[in-house]
Amino acid sequence: MKFQKDETLFTGRLKSMVFALKGAFKLVTTEHSIMVQSIIAILTTIAGFYFGITRIEWMIQILVFGLVLSIEGLNTAVEKVADFIHPEYHKRIGFIKDIAAGAVFFAALTAIVIGCIIYFPYLF
């Protein structure tokens, strides 16, 4: 089967959006780390409504959710490609996967610090 690329502006973008939504759905329904982070995002959203955080705090909180979930999605993609290319343990593949996981760690640590900056004044 030959794949024909759709070059038209509207239908090409629409197809891209469908693929992106499919990928997001697969991430949320199959990857436990994304599930956990999505639950944390929901809980902090509830907390945001409860404490009445400011518009700026909402924007920063939403930006951080997007950052963490995006980096986690890229980490998952790196891991899947690495496992596909070399299913058995390999030192170099392990190194690559560790670096991708490290990127998630930095994003998550950033989210925790920002969450503390936003919510500590409301709690204490």
Side-chain angles (χ1 to χ4, degrees):
M1 180 170 119
K2 187 177 179 186
F3 179 72
Q4 183 86 17
K5 186 173 181 181
D6 189 345
E7 297 292 341
T8 60
L9 179 65
F10 181 73
T11 56
R13 297 310 63 82
L14 187 61
K15 287 179 183 178
S16 294
M17 282 180 44
V18 169
F19 291 135
L21 286 171
K22 228 164 106 174
F25 182 76
K26 285 179 184 178
L27 272 171
V28 171
T29 58
T30 62
E31 296 301 318
H32 292 139
S33 56
I34 293 283
M35 291 176 198
V36 168
Q37 291 161 357
S38 295
I39 290 168
I40 291 169
I42 290 167
L43 292 174
T44 52
T45 298
I46 292 167
F49 284 116
Y50 178 79
F51 290 112
I53 64 176
T54 67
R55 287 179 71 189
I56 299 294
E57 290 168 335
W58 274 114
M59 288 188 282
I60 293 168
Q61 181 169 290
I62 291 166
L63 183 64
V64 169
F65 295 160
L67 171 74
V68 172
L69 292 172
S70 298
I71 299 294
E72 184 63 58
L74 291 172
N75 177 52
T76 299
V78 167
E79 287 182 355
K80 299 290 184 193
V81 168
D83 290 344
F84 178 76
I85 291 172
H86 208 290
E88 308 85 38
Y89 176 78
H90 190 279
K91 186 177 176 181
R92 287 187 191 168
I93 295 290
F95 181 78
I96 292 165
K97 290 167 87 173
D98 287 347
I99 289 173
V104 175
F105 173 77
F106 285 133
L109 188 62
T110 302
I112 290 167
V113 169
I114 288 173
C116 291
I117 291 169
I118 291 173
Y119 288 104
F120 275 7
Y122 294 102
L123 293 170
F124 303 109

